[in-house]
mmCIF file of all heavy atoms in Angstrom:
data_model
loop_
_atom_site.group_PDB
_atom_site.id
_atom_site.type_symbol
_atom_site.label_atom_id
_atom_site.label_comp_id
_atom_site.label_asym_id
_atom_site.label_seq_id
_atom_site.Cartn_x
_atom_site.Cartn_y
_atom_site.Cartn_z
ATOM 1 N N ARG O 209 -73.678 125.619 63.123
ATOM 2 C CA ARG O 209 -73.132 126.693 63.968
ATOM 3 C C ARG O 209 -72.349 127.630 63.046
ATOM 4 O O ARG O 209 -71.587 127.217 62.230
ATOM 5 C CB ARG O 209 -72.214 126.133 65.043
ATOM 6 C CG ARG O 209 -72.989 125.481 66.165
ATOM 7 C CD ARG O 209 -72.036 124.779 67.097
ATOM 8 N NE ARG O 209 -71.319 123.732 66.368
ATOM 9 C CZ ARG O 209 -70.100 123.371 66.639
ATOM 10 N NH1 ARG O 209 -69.386 123.979 67.545
ATOM 11 N NH2 ARG O 209 -69.536 122.387 65.927
ATOM 12 N N THR O 210 -72.567 128.927 63.245
ATOM 13 C CA THR O 210 -71.786 129.869 62.443
ATOM 14 C C THR O 210 -70.525 130.273 63.217
ATOM 15 O O THR O 210 -70.305 131.421 63.528
ATOM 16 C CB THR O 210 -72.645 131.129 62.091
ATOM 17 O OG1 THR O 210 -73.363 131.491 63.256
ATOM 18 C CG2 THR O 210 -73.614 130.813 60.952
ATOM 19 N N ASP O 211 -69.735 129.253 63.541
ATOM 20 C CA ASP O 211 -68.546 129.477 64.360
ATOM 21 C C ASP O 211 -67.274 129.512 63.512
ATOM 22 O O ASP O 211 -66.175 129.506 64.050
ATOM 23 C CB ASP O 211 -68.465 128.408 65.440
ATOM 24 C CG ASP O 211 -68.297 127.025 64.847
ATOM 25 O OD1 ASP O 211 -68.318 126.925 63.597
ATOM 26 O OD2 ASP O 211 -68.133 126.055 65.600
ATOM 27 N N GLY O 212 -67.403 129.453 62.215
ATOM 28 C CA GLY O 212 -66.227 129.509 61.359
ATOM 29 C C GLY O 212 -65.721 128.139 60.950
ATOM 30 O O GLY O 212 -64.846 128.040 60.083
ATOM 31 N N SER O 213 -66.255 127.074 61.570
ATOM 32 C CA SER O 213 -65.743 125.758 61.187
ATOM 33 C C SER O 213 -66.293 125.371 59.791
ATOM 34 O O SER O 213 -65.740 124.531 59.098
ATOM 35 C CB SER O 213 -66.119 124.694 62.232
ATOM 36 O OG SER O 213 -67.496 124.449 62.204
ATOM 37 N N ARG O 214 -67.413 126.012 59.386
ATOM 38 C CA ARG O 214 -67.929 125.803 58.043
ATOM 39 C C ARG O 214 -67.815 127.160 57.314
ATOM 40 O O ARG O 214 -68.679 128.025 57.463
ATOM 41 C CB ARG O 214 -69.357 125.361 58.082
ATOM 42 C CG ARG O 214 -69.574 123.914 58.499
ATOM 43 C CD ARG O 214 -71.062 123.657 58.493
ATOM 44 N NE ARG O 214 -71.392 122.258 58.604
ATOM 45 C CZ ARG O 214 -71.837 121.660 59.740
ATOM 46 N NH1 ARG O 214 -71.900 122.374 60.830
ATOM 47 N NH2 ARG O 214 -72.164 120.412 59.714
ATOM 48 N N PRO O 215 -66.794 127.332 56.526
ATOM 49 C CA PRO O 215 -66.532 128.658 55.933
ATOM 50 C C PRO O 215 -67.687 129.191 55.093
ATOM 51 O O PRO O 215 -67.833 130.400 54.966
ATOM 52 C CB PRO O 215 -65.280 128.447 55.065
ATOM 53 C CG PRO O 215 -64.705 127.138 55.459
ATOM 54 C CD PRO O 215 -65.776 126.335 56.122
ATOM 55 N N LEU O 216 -68.506 128.328 54.529
ATOM 56 C CA LEU O 216 -69.579 128.808 53.657
ATOM 57 C C LEU O 216 -70.900 129.013 54.368
ATOM 58 O O LEU O 216 -71.871 129.438 53.758
ATOM 59 C CB LEU O 216 -69.752 127.881 52.444
ATOM 60 C CG LEU O 216 -68.524 127.793 51.536
ATOM 61 C CD1 LEU O 216 -68.796 126.878 50.360
ATOM 62 C CD2 LEU O 216 -68.106 129.161 51.019
ATOM 63 N N ALA O 217 -70.915 128.736 55.664
ATOM 64 C CA ALA O 217 -72.170 128.950 56.418
ATOM 65 C C ALA O 217 -72.355 130.417 56.688
ATOM 66 O O ALA O 217 -71.456 131.071 57.212
ATOM 67 C CB ALA O 217 -72.135 128.166 57.727
ATOM 68 N N GLY O 218 -73.481 130.957 56.302
ATOM 69 C CA GLY O 218 -73.704 132.385 56.538
ATOM 70 C C GLY O 218 -75.056 132.604 57.177
ATOM 71 O O GLY O 218 -75.621 131.677 57.749
ATOM 72 N N ASN O 219 -75.582 133.788 57.028
ATOM 73 C CA ASN O 219 -76.882 134.073 57.623
ATOM 74 C C ASN O 219 -78.005 133.405 56.826
ATOM 75 O O ASN O 219 -77.762 132.803 55.784
ATOM 76 C CB ASN O 219 -77.110 135.583 57.760
ATOM 77 C CG ASN O 219 -77.240 136.271 56.423
ATOM 78 O OD1 ASN O 219 -77.640 135.648 55.436
ATOM 79 N ND2 ASN O 219 -76.877 137.536 56.359
ATOM 80 N N ARG O 220 -79.195 133.541 57.330
ATOM 81 C CA ARG O 220 -80.363 132.868 56.734
ATOM 82 C C ARG O 220 -80.485 133.130 55.219
ATOM 83 O O ARG O 220 -80.701 132.199 54.437
ATOM 84 C CB ARG O 220 -81.597 133.374 57.462
ATOM 85 C CG ARG O 220 -82.902 132.814 56.998
ATOM 86 C CD ARG O 220 -84.011 133.393 57.859
ATOM 87 N NE ARG O 220 -83.727 133.191 59.270
ATOM 88 C CZ ARG O 220 -84.254 132.237 60.015
ATOM 89 N NH1 ARG O 220 -85.117 131.415 59.494
ATOM 90 N NH2 ARG O 220 -83.930 132.096 61.270
ATOM 91 N N GLU O 221 -80.306 134.405 54.811
ATOM 92 C CA GLU O 221 -80.520 134.726 53.392
ATOM 93 C C GLU O 221 -79.419 134.097 52.520
ATOM 94 O O GLU O 221 -79.693 133.590 51.432
ATOM 95 C CB GLU O 221 -80.578 136.247 53.172
ATOM 96 C CG GLU O 221 -81.870 136.880 53.678
ATOM 97 C CD GLU O 221 -83.114 135.961 53.463
ATOM 98 O OE1 GLU O 221 -83.343 135.550 52.328
ATOM 99 O OE2 GLU O 221 -83.807 135.622 54.473
ATOM 100 N N ILE O 222 -78.194 134.135 53.016
ATOM 101 C CA ILE O 222 -77.084 133.515 52.284
ATOM 102 C C ILE O 222 -77.339 131.997 52.129
ATOM 103 O O ILE O 222 -77.168 131.425 51.042
ATOM 104 C CB ILE O 222 -75.735 133.782 53.028
ATOM 105 C CG1 ILE O 222 -75.381 135.267 52.899
ATOM 106 C CG2 ILE O 222 -74.610 132.902 52.458
ATOM 107 C CD1 ILE O 222 -74.175 135.700 53.695
ATOM 108 N N MET O 223 -77.755 131.397 53.216
ATOM 109 C CA MET O 223 -77.980 129.939 53.194
ATOM 110 C C MET O 223 -79.138 129.589 52.296
ATOM 111 O O MET O 223 -79.109 128.594 51.566
ATOM 112 C CB MET O 223 -78.239 129.425 54.604
ATOM 113 C CG MET O 223 -77.035 129.608 55.528
ATOM 114 S SD MET O 223 -75.673 128.510 55.093
ATOM 115 C CE MET O 223 -76.042 127.155 56.177
ATOM 116 N N ARG O 224 -80.184 130.401 52.318
ATOM 117 C CA ARG O 224 -81.363 130.142 51.483
ATOM 118 C C ARG O 224 -80.955 130.181 50.007
ATOM 119 O O ARG O 224 -81.298 129.290 49.216
ATOM 120 C CB ARG O 224 -82.420 131.189 51.762
ATOM 121 C CG ARG O 224 -83.800 130.877 51.183
ATOM 122 C CD ARG O 224 -84.779 132.005 51.369
ATOM 123 N NE ARG O 224 -84.977 132.398 52.736
ATOM 124 C CZ ARG O 224 -85.704 131.712 53.624
ATOM 125 N NH1 ARG O 224 -86.314 130.616 53.233
ATOM 126 N NH2 ARG O 224 -85.835 132.124 54.855
ATOM 127 N N ALA O 225 -80.146 131.203 49.646
ATOM 128 C CA ALA O 225 -79.720 131.367 48.268
ATOM 129 C C ALA O 225 -78.796 130.207 47.853
ATOM 130 O O ALA O 225 -78.935 129.660 46.746
ATOM 131 C CB ALA O 225 -79.001 132.707 48.085
ATOM 132 N N LEU O 226 -77.896 129.837 48.741
ATOM 133 C CA LEU O 226 -76.952 128.770 48.448
ATOM 134 C C LEU O 226 -77.687 127.429 48.237
ATOM 135 O O LEU O 226 -77.400 126.686 47.285
ATOM 136 C CB LEU O 226 -75.929 128.640 49.577
ATOM 137 C CG LEU O 226 -74.712 127.763 49.360
ATOM 138 C CD1 LEU O 226 -73.891 128.237 48.161
ATOM 139 C CD2 LEU O 226 -73.816 127.756 50.608
ATOM 140 N N LEU O 227 -78.673 127.206 49.087
ATOM 141 C CA LEU O 227 -79.432 125.946 48.964
ATOM 142 C C LEU O 227 -80.211 125.937 47.660
ATOM 143 O O LEU O 227 -80.218 124.925 46.934
ATOM 144 C CB LEU O 227 -80.384 125.795 50.176
ATOM 145 C CG LEU O 227 -81.277 124.558 50.141
ATOM 146 C CD1 LEU O 227 -80.475 123.253 50.093
ATOM 147 C CD2 LEU O 227 -82.197 124.523 51.383
ATOM 148 N N ALA O 228 -80.829 127.058 47.299
ATOM 149 C CA ALA O 228 -81.610 127.136 46.049
ATOM 150 C C ALA O 228 -80.692 126.864 44.853
ATOM 151 O O ALA O 228 -81.085 126.154 43.903
ATOM 152 C CB ALA O 228 -82.272 128.498 45.925
ATOM 153 N N GLU O 229 -79.488 127.407 44.926
ATOM 154 C CA GLU O 229 -78.542 127.228 43.816
ATOM 155 C C GLU O 229 -78.094 125.750 43.720
ATOM 156 O O GLU O 229 -77.868 125.243 42.634
ATOM 157 C CB GLU O 229 -77.359 128.119 44.178
ATOM 158 C CG GLU O 229 -76.294 128.265 43.145
ATOM 159 C CD GLU O 229 -75.151 129.098 43.778
ATOM 160 O OE1 GLU O 229 -75.408 130.227 44.279
ATOM 161 O OE2 GLU O 229 -74.009 128.607 43.782
ATOM 162 N N ARG O 230 -78.019 125.090 44.858
ATOM 163 C CA ARG O 230 -77.498 123.733 44.874
ATOM 164 C C ARG O 230 -78.527 122.637 44.664
ATOM 165 O O ARG O 230 -78.169 121.516 44.306
ATOM 166 C CB ARG O 230 -76.781 123.494 46.217
ATOM 167 C CG ARG O 230 -75.483 124.252 46.287
ATOM 168 C CD ARG O 230 -74.845 124.058 47.624
ATOM 169 N NE ARG O 230 -73.485 124.522 47.652
ATOM 170 C CZ ARG O 230 -72.669 124.332 48.673
ATOM 171 N NH1 ARG O 230 -73.119 123.717 49.750
ATOM 172 N NH2 ARG O 230 -71.418 124.764 48.598
ATOM 173 N N GLU O 231 -79.781 122.954 44.917
ATOM 174 C CA GLU O 231 -80.802 121.898 44.853
ATOM 175 C C GLU O 231 -80.799 121.107 43.567
ATOM 176 O O GLU O 231 -80.920 119.871 43.601
ATOM 177 C CB GLU O 231 -82.180 122.470 45.181
ATOM 178 C CG GLU O 231 -82.486 122.264 46.623
ATOM 179 C CD GLU O 231 -83.811 122.846 47.097
ATOM 180 O OE1 GLU O 231 -84.510 123.477 46.283
ATOM 181 O OE2 GLU O 231 -84.099 122.658 48.298
ATOM 182 N N PRO O 232 -80.683 121.753 42.395
ATOM 183 C CA PRO O 232 -80.700 120.977 41.155
ATOM 184 C C PRO O 232 -79.583 119.926 41.119
ATOM 185 O O PRO O 232 -79.741 118.851 40.529
ATOM 186 C CB PRO O 232 -80.472 122.025 40.039
ATOM 187 C CG PRO O 232 -80.936 123.320 40.666
ATOM 188 C CD PRO O 232 -80.613 123.203 42.130
ATOM 189 N N SER O 233 -78.439 120.209 41.769
ATOM 190 C CA SER O 233 -77.362 119.220 41.817
ATOM 191 C C SER O 233 -77.741 118.085 42.746
ATOM 192 O O SER O 233 -77.591 116.896 42.403
ATOM 193 C CB SER O 233 -76.075 119.852 42.326
ATOM 194 O OG SER O 233 -75.697 120.924 41.497
ATOM 195 N N TYR O 234 -78.259 118.415 43.937
ATOM 196 C CA TYR O 234 -78.624 117.365 44.885
ATOM 197 C C TYR O 234 -79.686 116.408 44.318
ATOM 198 O O TYR O 234 -79.685 115.234 44.560
ATOM 199 C CB TYR O 234 -79.149 117.961 46.195
ATOM 200 C CG TYR O 234 -78.154 118.800 46.967
ATOM 201 C CD1 TYR O 234 -78.563 119.876 47.754
ATOM 202 C CD2 TYR O 234 -76.781 118.513 46.951
ATOM 203 C CE1 TYR O 234 -77.667 120.646 48.475
ATOM 204 C CE2 TYR O 234 -75.871 119.282 47.672
ATOM 205 C CZ TYR O 234 -76.340 120.338 48.438
ATOM 206 O OH TYR O 234 -75.422 121.085 49.158
ATOM 207 N N ARG O 235 -80.581 117.022 43.483
ATOM 208 C CA ARG O 235 -81.661 116.213 42.879
ATOM 209 C C ARG O 235 -81.138 115.124 41.979
ATOM 210 O O ARG O 235 -81.837 114.208 41.601
ATOM 211 C CB ARG O 235 -82.563 117.094 42.025
ATOM 212 C CG ARG O 235 -83.666 117.711 42.776
ATOM 213 C CD ARG O 235 -84.592 118.501 41.888
ATOM 214 N NE ARG O 235 -85.017 119.716 42.536
ATOM 215 C CZ ARG O 235 -85.781 119.731 43.615
ATOM 216 N NH1 ARG O 235 -86.279 118.616 44.096
ATOM 217 N NH2 ARG O 235 -86.075 120.860 44.222
ATOM 218 N N GLN O 236 -79.867 115.230 41.594
ATOM 219 C CA GLN O 236 -79.293 114.241 40.710
ATOM 220 C C GLN O 236 -78.885 112.955 41.440
ATOM 221 O O GLN O 236 -78.412 111.991 40.829
ATOM 222 C CB GLN O 236 -78.115 114.821 39.924
ATOM 223 C CG GLN O 236 -78.596 115.908 38.964
ATOM 224 C CD GLN O 236 -77.472 116.495 38.188
ATOM 225 O OE1 GLN O 236 -76.658 115.765 37.606
ATOM 226 N NE2 GLN O 236 -77.376 117.814 38.137
ATOM 227 N N ALA O 237 -79.048 112.962 42.761
ATOM 228 C CA ALA O 237 -78.774 111.732 43.526
ATOM 229 C C ALA O 237 -79.825 110.667 43.124
ATOM 230 O O ALA O 237 -80.917 111.002 42.649
ATOM 231 C CB ALA O 237 -78.867 112.025 45.018
ATOM 232 N N ASP O 238 -79.482 109.415 43.334
ATOM 233 C CA ASP O 238 -80.417 108.339 42.935
ATOM 234 C C ASP O 238 -81.720 108.383 43.733
ATOM 235 O O ASP O 238 -82.775 108.123 43.192
ATOM 236 C CB ASP O 238 -79.746 106.968 43.184
ATOM 237 C CG ASP O 238 -78.509 106.799 42.322
ATOM 238 O OD1 ASP O 238 -78.623 106.935 41.102
ATOM 239 O OD2 ASP O 238 -77.426 106.540 42.895
ATOM 240 N N VAL O 239 -81.593 108.654 45.035
ATOM 241 C CA VAL O 239 -82.792 108.717 45.852
ATOM 242 C C VAL O 239 -82.724 109.903 46.827
ATOM 243 O O VAL O 239 -81.619 110.398 47.115
ATOM 244 C CB VAL O 239 -83.044 107.405 46.651
ATOM 245 C CG1 VAL O 239 -83.453 106.278 45.759
ATOM 246 C CG2 VAL O 239 -81.847 107.034 47.471
ATOM 247 N N THR O 240 -83.869 110.298 47.330
ATOM 248 C CA THR O 240 -83.961 111.409 48.274
ATOM 249 C C THR O 240 -84.600 110.923 49.567
ATOM 250 O O THR O 240 -85.612 110.200 49.500
ATOM 251 C CB THR O 240 -84.845 112.518 47.661
ATOM 252 O OG1 THR O 240 -84.264 112.920 46.418
ATOM 253 C CG2 THR O 240 -84.939 113.731 48.567
ATOM 254 N N VAL O 241 -84.037 111.347 50.686
ATOM 255 C CA VAL O 241 -84.665 111.014 51.958
ATOM 256 C C VAL O 241 -84.824 112.327 52.735
ATOM 257 O O VAL O 241 -83.874 113.087 52.912
ATOM 258 C CB VAL O 241 -83.805 110.028 52.786
ATOM 259 C CG1 VAL O 241 -84.404 109.773 54.168
ATOM 260 C CG2 VAL O 241 -83.688 108.683 52.040
ATOM 261 N N ASP O 242 -86.055 112.588 53.184
ATOM 262 C CA ASP O 242 -86.300 113.806 53.967
ATOM 263 C C ASP O 242 -85.869 113.568 55.412
ATOM 264 O O ASP O 242 -86.319 112.627 56.058
ATOM 265 C CB ASP O 242 -87.832 114.087 53.913
ATOM 266 C CG ASP O 242 -88.204 115.385 54.596
ATOM 267 O OD1 ASP O 242 -87.346 115.958 55.306
ATOM 268 O OD2 ASP O 242 -89.352 115.808 54.441
ATOM 269 N N THR O 243 -84.969 114.410 55.878
ATOM 270 C CA THR O 243 -84.394 114.211 57.213
ATOM 271 C C THR O 243 -84.992 115.138 58.242
ATOM 272 O O THR O 243 -84.669 115.042 59.429
ATOM 273 C CB THR O 243 -82.860 114.448 57.195
ATOM 274 O OG1 THR O 243 -82.629 115.831 56.864
ATOM 275 C CG2 THR O 243 -82.170 113.559 56.215
ATOM 276 N N SER O 244 -85.839 116.069 57.791
ATOM 277 C CA SER O 244 -86.207 117.163 58.715
ATOM 278 C C SER O 244 -87.038 116.718 59.902
ATOM 279 O O SER O 244 -86.910 117.252 60.976
ATOM 280 C CB SER O 244 -86.884 118.312 57.968
ATOM 281 O OG SER O 244 -87.796 117.825 57.038
ATOM 282 N N ARG O 245 -87.894 115.756 59.700
ATOM 283 C CA ARG O 245 -88.700 115.308 60.861
ATOM 284 C C ARG O 245 -88.292 113.898 61.306
ATOM 285 O O ARG O 245 -89.053 113.213 61.943
ATOM 286 C CB ARG O 245 -90.199 115.355 60.505
ATOM 287 C CG ARG O 245 -90.814 116.737 60.765
ATOM 288 C CD ARG O 245 -92.105 116.926 60.042
ATOM 289 N NE ARG O 245 -91.893 116.868 58.609
ATOM 290 C CZ ARG O 245 -91.499 117.898 57.865
ATOM 291 N NH1 ARG O 245 -91.256 119.048 58.420
ATOM 292 N NH2 ARG O 245 -91.305 117.757 56.550
ATOM 293 N N ARG O 246 -87.095 113.523 60.964
ATOM 294 C CA ARG O 246 -86.649 112.165 61.347
ATOM 295 C C ARG O 246 -85.391 112.238 62.184
ATOM 296 O O ARG O 246 -84.493 113.032 61.879
ATOM 297 C CB ARG O 246 -86.344 111.340 60.100
ATOM 298 C CG ARG O 246 -87.560 110.889 59.291
ATOM 299 C CD ARG O 246 -87.086 110.014 58.147
ATOM 300 N NE ARG O 246 -88.180 109.312 57.552
ATOM 301 C CZ ARG O 246 -88.559 109.457 56.265
ATOM 302 N NH1 ARG O 246 -87.914 110.331 55.494
ATOM 303 N NH2 ARG O 246 -89.560 108.792 55.794
ATOM 304 N N LYS O 247 -85.315 111.391 63.165
ATOM 305 C CA LYS O 247 -84.081 111.250 63.928
ATOM 306 C C LYS O 247 -83.099 110.455 63.058
ATOM 307 O O LYS O 247 -83.536 109.680 62.209
ATOM 308 C CB LYS O 247 -84.348 110.464 65.191
ATOM 309 C CG LYS O 247 -85.315 111.151 66.137
ATOM 310 C CD LYS O 247 -85.268 110.436 67.495
ATOM 311 C CE LYS O 247 -86.121 111.171 68.500
ATOM 312 N NZ LYS O 247 -87.496 110.607 68.594
ATOM 313 N N PRO O 248 -81.792 110.586 63.320
ATOM 314 C CA PRO O 248 -80.817 109.820 62.504
ATOM 315 C C PRO O 248 -81.166 108.340 62.397
ATOM 316 O O PRO O 248 -81.098 107.760 61.296
ATOM 317 C CB PRO O 248 -79.485 110.045 63.235
ATOM 318 C CG PRO O 248 -79.645 111.394 63.890
ATOM 319 C CD PRO O 248 -81.091 111.482 64.262
ATOM 320 N N ARG O 249 -81.645 107.754 63.518
ATOM 321 C CA ARG O 249 -81.993 106.327 63.466
ATOM 322 C C ARG O 249 -83.130 106.055 62.478
ATOM 323 O O ARG O 249 -83.138 105.059 61.780
ATOM 324 C CB ARG O 249 -82.390 105.862 64.892
ATOM 325 C CG ARG O 249 -82.663 104.398 65.021
ATOM 326 C CD ARG O 249 -83.004 103.987 66.462
ATOM 327 N NE ARG O 249 -84.008 104.841 67.089
ATOM 328 C CZ ARG O 249 -85.312 104.816 66.804
ATOM 329 N NH1 ARG O 249 -85.778 103.953 65.930
ATOM 330 N NH2 ARG O 249 -86.143 105.626 67.413
ATOM 331 N N GLU O 250 -84.082 106.993 62.432
ATOM 332 C CA GLU O 250 -85.200 106.813 61.509
ATOM 333 C C GLU O 250 -84.781 107.024 60.066
ATOM 334 O O GLU O 250 -85.286 106.364 59.127
ATOM 335 C CB GLU O 250 -86.341 107.801 61.873
ATOM 336 C CG GLU O 250 -86.926 107.503 63.231
ATOM 337 C CD GLU O 250 -87.814 108.608 63.768
ATOM 338 O OE1 GLU O 250 -87.578 109.801 63.465
ATOM 339 O OE2 GLU O 250 -88.759 108.281 64.524
ATOM 340 N N VAL O 251 -83.841 107.918 59.850
ATOM 341 C CA VAL O 251 -83.302 108.119 58.485
ATOM 342 C C VAL O 251 -82.607 106.831 58.039
ATOM 343 O O VAL O 251 -82.795 106.369 56.916
ATOM 344 C CB VAL O 251 -82.332 109.328 58.429
ATOM 345 C CG1 VAL O 251 -81.737 109.466 57.050
ATOM 346 C CG2 VAL O 251 -83.042 110.600 58.841
ATOM 347 N N VAL O 252 -81.855 106.229 58.972
ATOM 348 C CA VAL O 252 -81.163 104.984 58.631
ATOM 349 C C VAL O 252 -82.191 103.900 58.295
ATOM 350 O O VAL O 252 -82.020 103.171 57.286
ATOM 351 C CB VAL O 252 -80.246 104.546 59.816
ATOM 352 C CG1 VAL O 252 -79.709 103.143 59.602
ATOM 353 C CG2 VAL O 252 -79.096 105.517 59.973
#
Side-chain angles (χ1 to χ4, degrees):
R209 284 172 298 148
T210 43
D211 63 357
S213 70
R214 285 180 168 102
L216 297 181
N219 68 27
R220 180 178 307 260
E221 287 325 304
I222 291 174
M223 296 291 266
R224 192 186 303 284
L226 191 59
L227 178 59
E229 188 185 306
R230 288 176 168 187
E231 264 177 357
S233 302
Y234 297 149
R235 271 184 220 293
Q236 295 181 48
D238 298 304
V239 290
T240 301
V241 175
D242 185 349
T243 63
S244 43
R245 274 162 297 276
R246 288 183 166 118
K247 298 193 174 94
R249 184 178 49 74
E250 295 167 329
V251 177
V252 170

